[in-house]
Amino acid sequence: MTDPIKLTNLTRHFERGGMDVQALRGVDLSIEPGEFVALVGPSGSGKSTLLNLLGGLDRATAGELWLNGTALHSATEADRTLHRRQRIGFIFQSFNLLPRLTALENVAIPLMLSGVGVAEREARAKNLLEKVGLGHRLSHYPTELSGGEQQRTAVARALIHNPSLILADEPTGNLDTKTGEEVMALLQELNREQGITLIVVTHDEDVAAYADRIVKLRDGDIVEEVKADNPPSPQPSPLREREPMSPPPVRGRAREGVKSGGLQMSDIIRQALSNLRRRPVRNVLTAGGVLIGIVTLVAMVSFGVGVQREVQRNFESIGLENLFVRPIYDEPDAFDPFAEPEPQTPITPEMVAQIEQIPDVVSVTPELRLPFSIDIALTYGDTSLPIRVTDGNEPEFSFGTEPEPLAGSFLDTRVSEGTVLVNGLADSLLAEGESYDNLIGEEILLTVQLPRGETESFPSQIVGVRDGFGGSIIELGLAEREAILAWWFNEPDILQTDGYDGLIVQTTDLGAITAVSSQIEELDLETQSLEAILNVANQVLGLMQALLGSVGGLALLVAALGVANTMMMAIYERTREIGVLKALGASAREIRALFTVEAAMLGLLGGFFGLIFGTLLGRLVDWIGHRFLIAEGITGIGQLSVVPWWLAVGAMAFATFIGIVAGLYPAARAARLDPVAALRHE
Ligand code: ADP
Ligand code: MG
């Protein structure tokens, strides 16, 4: 600094309880570069106010303040931040070291705020701490240091960025006489050997005696200036024996080694992490709120996705290009409760042939169901067993892959004849040493009994053995079923009078469905496609997902309030630290970034573990669900809880977003804090 510091009519008024407090009433003062000035005066005389103005922490009400060619009285907030960051070193009465940082890290803060990398700034901090005699205390935390050691650390911190002006507000106020002398000797040495301008507030006569000039303030005005003609020789101090501080003493030397790059993102993250660690329980509980919300969301959405995928897969394996055709039934006769509903137009074999002629129709599979209460026994050789018939032609809603026959073949679709046995039934028909293949082609008799006791036997042939449940199920060909039904209802021409129960019409592709179904409907039949059913199913699932998702959303809203609350508490606890950071050159934007990142991390932390627990919960419910389904005899169902990548990324991003949103207001509060008021905060 080559220009003097010049104060002209510098005035600072405060509003307090509607009263105007005149802290400075038009101060005129010039300070030469390299001068050591002591500001003395009774408490409340305006010493700290003047120091804060010089440091750019506060704004004057009126008057001018020129510092190294900069008009601080009219400087913008950004300029004053830069001024603090580059030119000023602050030393406080109560040291104001950050409790979570080691001595080394504390000393390095001004360089961190200037964007200097960790390695370089810590090397410089170490060097400086060694110079102030604390080489053995580098990794100690402030609470582990004595008062004198803390203040020497603070002196090193005030020096690290090579400031041109050091402002010390009662630096010895919290120290015993001997330690105070040591610190003053250190400051004097800096002033003499490096030409750093030094302004020290004190009300200790002995401390003031170190200065080149003593400026006395009273009631906001300078009342006396005393110039020490013969600078007093300082007390012998261990520091005197040490080599001078590097770089070599040059009065008014140019600024060097100071970047104004600002606080780097990596340092913001590092600080946020270290701040999160200081209140582990509180922060874990807060993140726990986010976690619960994310767990709900992830588990719910993963089920939505999984179930939807499974449904889609199974419907697709059945074939979306299928049309289901049913006859339209008359209104049942209200006066005859036992009347069977009569189809308006029965589906006769002729109609089946007609439908097969429609372009784009690949195949037509008729359905014919036996009465539910029918009693059938199967006789093979000497064995006779009661059996149940399933409709072998209906496409299986068996989930999963298309099964293979264990022996022989399955029933044909269009005109089928024969019997397929489930393996359990086949086992009870086999003699010792025979295999399923021995049964293929064997003649059996199916004996049907009417409710009133009459029986009739129908011959059939075993065509295949399949995997299935129980020991009494057969699939029966269309021909046998037609014969049984004709006898049962005593209607030899049952296909002409009643027709088939329904048809499955397979078309060439999905695109042909609409055209084919309208042609079939012209025949007075009803059609339904799987696609329509699937659409409805998807809508229901989507609705369920939305509903369940909103439960998770609600949980997250509550979690956001938790994050906001935690951040507000953190600000309250750290008000003084925020003041210190601002005094050391942190901008409002950087303070906001620090708190926003901290809140975002709370969210991310909750999101990360929420994702893990949510996935695990989904898997657990999935597993239990499968046990249940298997007990109910349903197999072949795939995983129902699926966490696709977009859900994982989305859940974490959303949790982080929640944290950021919740932290917006607290971070803005922290950024707005007035540094002077923050530094007064206890
Ligand atoms: P000193 O440091 O000399 O003890 P200060 O500079 O702290 O004195 O304060 C000077 C006067 O201004 C005192 O009367 C003090 O109460 C008042 N003052 C300082 N800061 C504020 C403030 N932020 N609001 C209201 N009054 C203030
Ligand atoms: Mg004061």
Side-chain angles (χ1 to χ4, degrees):
M1 182 177 308
T2 47
D3 294 336
I5 298 171
K6 203 158 168 52
L7 290 65
T8 330
N9 190 30
L10 197 67
T11 309
R12 180 64 168 113
H13 293 183
F14 289 106
E15 270 281 311
R16 190 168 49 194
M19 278 205 348
D20 196 29
V21 181
Q22 313 229 320
L24 290 178
R25 310 166 184 258
V27 171
D28 294 301
L29 183 69
S30 281
I31 297 169
E32 289 303 313
E35 207 179 346
F36 180 170
V37 174
L39 281 178
V40 298
S43 178
S45 57
K47 306 180 299 288
S48 296
T49 303
L50 183 53
L51 217 60
N52 290 335
L53 287 173
L54 285 164
L57 283 176
D58 195 13
R59 257 178 194 287
T61 313
E64 294 192 355
L65 169 51
W66 289 89
L67 218 144
N68 195 18
T70 307
L72 261 191
H73 53 276
S74 59
T76 61
E77 176 64 42
D79 285 341
R80 285 192 285 133
T81 298
L82 213 60
H83 166 71
R84 294 197 295 268
R85 181 180 292 173
Q86 297 185 334
R87 298 187 192 148
I88 306 294
F90 267 106
I91 299 171
F92 308 90
Q93 177 175 354
S94 49
F95 324 132
N96 279 336
L97 300 175
L98 299 198
R100 283 292 298 185
L101 302 184
T102 62
L104 190 74
E105 290 163 341
N106 263 292
V107 172
I109 292 173
L111 293 182
M112 178 179 84
L113 292 174
S114 293
V116 177
V118 188
E120 185 190 338
R121 68 183 189 237
E122 294 204 337
R124 278 165 70 175
K126 178 168 178 278
N127 192 23
L128 214 47
L129 274 169
E130 279 163 1
K131 295 260 163 68
V132 299
L134 289 175
H136 57 302
R137 292 279 185 268
L138 300 180
S139 51
H140 283 56
Y141 288 93
T143 47
E144 299 162 354
L145 299 173
S146 72
E149 287 172 328
Q150 288 191 58
Q151 197 60 305
R152 277 191 279 162
T153 306
V155 169
R157 179 178 68 184
L159 280 174
I160 186 121
H161 52 305
N162 293 330
S164 51
L165 173 61
I166 285 187
L167 302 170
D169 197 347
E170 312 223 10
T172 60
N174 281 9
L175 301 175
D176 61 68
T177 315
K178 185 173 171 299
T179 323
E181 278 169 4
E182 277 175 29
V183 168
M184 284 318 293
L186 177 61
L187 288 175
Q188 191 180 46
E189 183 187 311
L190 290 172
N191 168 253
R192 295 220 168 137
E193 296 184 350
Q194 296 192 43
I196 299 174
T197 313
L198 193 57
I199 302 178
V200 177
V201 165
T202 183
H203 46 226
D204 184 335
E205 295 282 315
D206 295 339
V207 170
Y210 284 87
D212 301 331
R213 182 157 51 128
I214 299 173
V215 174
K216 282 193 183 155
L217 281 172
R218 178 164 300 149
D219 292 336
D221 234 335
I222 295 177
V223 289
E224 194 187 350
E225 289 189 42
V226 183
K227 198 145 177 109
D229 292 325
N230 311 306
S233 103
Q235 303 284 323
S237 137
L239 287 162
R240 300 301 312 165
E241 284 121 50
R242 269 194 290 278
E243 58 186 289
M245 305 250 175
S246 70
V250 180
R251 290 226 156 195
R253 94 196 111 88
R255 316 262 8 90
E256 54 170 49
V258 173
K259 287 190 204 165
S260 54
L263 190 56
Q264 300 298 296
M265 199 26 132
S266 56
D267 285 318
I268 292 178
I269 291 170
R270 194 175 295 130
Q271 292 307 316
L273 278 175
S274 128
N275 281 327
L276 283 179
R277 274 200 300 268
R278 66 207 272 182
R279 294 274 180 208
V281 175
R282 188 172 77 195
N283 288 326
V284 162
L285 289 178
T286 304
V290 180
L291 182 143
I292 289 168
I294 293 291
V295 164
T296 326
L297 220 55
V298 166
M300 297 313 172
V301 176
S302 78
F303 269 106
V305 171
V307 170
Q308 196 151 3
R309 276 191 188 178
E310 194 62 13
V311 167
Q312 187 101 27
R313 188 172 68 85
N314 285 297
F315 272 72
E316 270 166 7
S317 76
I318 292 162
L320 284 174
E321 67 283 6
N322 284 339
L323 265 177
F324 293 85
V325 180
R326 302 258 175 282
I328 299 170
Y329 289 95
D330 287 327
E331 286 292 311
D333 187 344
F335 298 103
D336 184 359
F338 300 104
E340 288 270 331
E342 288 288 321
Q344 285 177 2
T345 314
I347 309 175
T348 58
E350 290 73 33
M351 281 178 91
V352 172
Q354 211 177 330
I355 290 170
E356 279 180 325
Q357 296 310 310
I358 297 175
D360 292 332
V361 168
V362 175
S363 71
V364 179
T365 309
E367 295 176 291
L368 199 55
R369 276 190 290 274
L370 294 180
F372 182 71
S373 57
I374 200 163
D375 257 339
I376 304 182
L378 179 148
T379 310
Y380 169 63
D382 298 336
T383 323
S384 192
L385 295 164
I387 49 105
R388 282 194 294 129
V389 176
T390 64
D391 194 340
N393 287 333
E394 210 163 330
E396 291 271 328
F397 279 87
S398 78
F399 289 92
T401 50
E402 191 62 31
E404 287 286 310
L406 296 174
S409 60
F410 289 142
L411 290 171
D412 224 16
T413 50
R414 175 70 172 86
V415 225
S416 62
E417 229 174 325
T419 299
V420 173
L421 310 173
V422 291
N423 51 347
L425 180 58
D427 289 340
S428 36
L429 299 182
L430 283 177
E432 279 283 330
E434 282 184 331
S435 75
Y436 292 147
D437 287 324
N438 295 88
L439 289 172
I440 307 302
E442 291 296 291
E443 294 290 336
I444 53 165
L445 269 187
L446 296 170
T447 309
V448 184
Q449 186 168 29
L450 287 180
R452 56 177 187 268
E454 281 172 54
T455 60
E456 178 73 33
S457 289
F458 300 87
S460 184
Q461 208 176 47
I462 298 172
V463 295
V465 176
R466 65 167 299 159
D467 197 14
F469 297 103
S472 64
I473 292 173
I474 63 164
E475 286 169 11
L476 195 53
L478 214 50
E480 283 90 339
R481 275 182 283 153
E482 187 193 331
I484 291 173
L485 280 169
W487 176 75
W488 181 272
F489 290 112
N490 196 19
E491 281 193 69
D493 265 344
I494 191 153
L495 286 186
Q496 292 302 326
T497 51
D498 290 0
Y500 293 115
D501 292 312
L503 303 173
I504 297 162
V505 178
Q506 195 193 348
T507 64
T508 47
D509 56 63
L510 255 174
I513 290 266
T514 322
V516 172
S517 83
S518 66
Q519 288 198 54
I520 294 175
E521 276 163 11
E522 276 170 24
L523 299 172
D524 230 4
L525 299 173
E526 220 173 53
T527 65
Q528 201 169 36
S529 72
L530 272 177
E531 205 197 3
I533 300 170
L534 188 55
N535 282 344
V536 173
N538 279 344
Q539 275 171 20
V540 171
L541 274 166
L543 190 70
M544 265 172 61
Q545 262 178 288
L547 274 172
L548 298 173
S550 53
V551 171
L554 200 66
L556 281 176
L557 189 71
V558 176
L561 294 178
V563 172
N565 181 48
T566 295
M567 293 315 293
M568 291 306 288
M569 281 168 73
I571 289 170
Y572 186 75
E573 285 169 0
R574 283 188 239 147
T575 299
R576 203 186 174 88
E577 285 176 43
I578 295 167
V580 173
L581 283 174
K582 283 197 162 180
L584 298 182
S587 67
R589 206 174 47 83
E590 285 161 347
I591 298 290
R592 187 185 303 118
L594 272 171
F595 278 85
T596 306
V597 167
E598 204 172 313
M601 279 180 172
L602 272 178
L604 181 62
L605 192 73
F608 179 71
F609 287 103
L611 177 62
I612 292 177
F613 290 134
T615 308
L616 291 179
L617 180 70
R619 290 285 151 85
L620 182 70
V621 173
D622 207 0
W623 184 80
I624 294 171
H626 274 91
R627 296 302 101 177
F628 176 77
L629 288 173
I630 285 167
E632 292 288 303
I634 301 165
T635 54
I637 297 185
Q639 193 174 315
L640 290 182
S641 158
V642 176
V643 181
W645 68 267
W646 55 261
L647 177 57
V649 173
M652 300 229 283
F654 190 52
T656 310
F657 174 74
I658 295 272
I660 291 174
V661 169
L664 277 183
Y665 174 71
R669 273 277 293 253
R672 268 207 312 272
L673 277 182
D674 170 33
V676 177
L679 280 167
R680 281 167 184 261
H681 187 88
E682 284 313 309

